[in-house]
Amino acid sequence: MDLISPIRELCSRALSQKIILICLFALTLCSTVCAIIFLKTPAFFDYHLKICDRFLDRVCYSDRSVVVICFERAAGCAFYLLLILLGGLHPAALVLPSCALVFRAYNFGGMLAILFSVYKFSGAIVAFTLYLPIHLLLDVLLFAAASISFSRAFCFRFCTSDFKELLLDFLLFLLLVFAVCVVEAILLGVFFHPLGNLV
């Protein structure tokens, strides 16, 4: 089965909405910066610290199999992906991809700030070897999905062909998300997990 052509066509549709991509990037960048700025507020600090601790405990330094972690992470990203693509059903639903990306960017900014300010050198190692590259790769896919949703929302007809196209887009993006999660699992196995936790 030829997967290259559908993926290439998917990328082409996503990149055709350059204005939307720029606006979404600006929105999420503001959210990331706000998370860093407000980090000193006790309530915000505690929230991001819990997220960061959970990531370190359950992903980076967990005793669980990296295969299990891979599927868990893929499922979490699939939820974001589903919310974003559902925004393409109607213009009013476009609030879904916007909110999903803003929330993800807010957590991203807080996580980075905690890793560098609280965990110092060890946090920087986690950030540069695992968290940053994987998060940015997933963000590229989610931004592409959001771009397609914004272009689809104004012409979606609630017919079988449109639903089939939506489902195909979801499956293709899900495949790409899973591929990124496999890369994350490999990085976990190489840098953070002992050999016995691979399976």
Side-chain angles (χ1 to χ4, degrees):
M1 181 181 177
D2 179 23
L3 283 173
I4 302 300
S5 297
I7 290 174
R8 186 183 294 120
E9 190 267 339
L10 195 70
C11 294
S12 176
R13 281 191 288 139
L15 291 173
S16 66
Q17 305 295 322
K18 292 182 176 61
I19 300 297
I20 290 171
L21 286 171
I22 292 170
C23 291
L24 288 174
F25 176 75
L27 186 66
T28 54
L29 182 61
C30 288
S31 181
T32 301
V33 171
C34 284
I36 296 171
I37 291 172
F38 295 130
L39 187 69
K40 293 181 180 180
T41 307
F44 291 105
F45 182 85
D46 291 342
Y47 168 75
H48 288 296
L49 184 61
K50 286 179 183 176
I51 292 177
C52 192
D53 286 343
R54 189 168 63 222
F55 176 76
L56 293 173
D57 292 339
R58 299 190 62 186
V59 178
C60 295
Y61 303 114
S62 172
D63 290 330
R64 298 179 305 146
S65 162
V66 293
V67 175
V68 173
I69 293 171
C70 174
F71 279 100
E72 285 180 353
R73 300 279 288 164
C77 292
F79 177 71
Y80 274 108
L81 184 60
L82 182 61
L83 281 180
I84 288 170
L85 287 177
L86 285 177
L89 294 177
H90 191 273
L94 288 175
V95 68
L96 290 174
S98 302
C99 288
L101 290 174
V102 165
F103 179 71
R104 184 172 164 82
Y106 178 76
N107 287 340
F108 173 66
M111 274 279 294
L112 277 185
I114 292 290
L115 285 172
F116 285 103
S117 64
V118 175
Y119 293 98
K120 310 294 182 181
F121 181 71
S122 61
I125 291 175
V126 171
F128 287 119
T129 59
L130 182 71
Y131 184 70
L132 259 175
I134 296 302
H135 189 97
L136 293 178
L137 282 173
L138 290 172
D139 271 358
V140 167
L141 296 177
L142 295 178
F143 270 86
S147 172
I148 288 173
S149 286
F150 270 82
S151 62
R152 173 182 282 136
F154 296 93
C155 58
F156 193 81
R157 295 170 298 173
F158 291 91
C159 61
T160 304
S161 61
D162 282 8
F163 276 113
K164 282 183 178 178
E165 184 181 344
L166 179 64
L167 179 61
L168 179 61
D169 285 350
F170 176 73
L171 292 175
L172 286 172
F173 275 118
L174 190 59
L175 180 66
L176 294 172
V177 162
F178 186 72
V180 174
C181 290
V182 169
V183 172
E184 181 183 45
I186 293 170
L187 291 174
L188 280 172
V190 170
F191 293 110
F192 298 100
H193 283 233
L195 218 53
N197 288 343
L198 294 178
V199 292

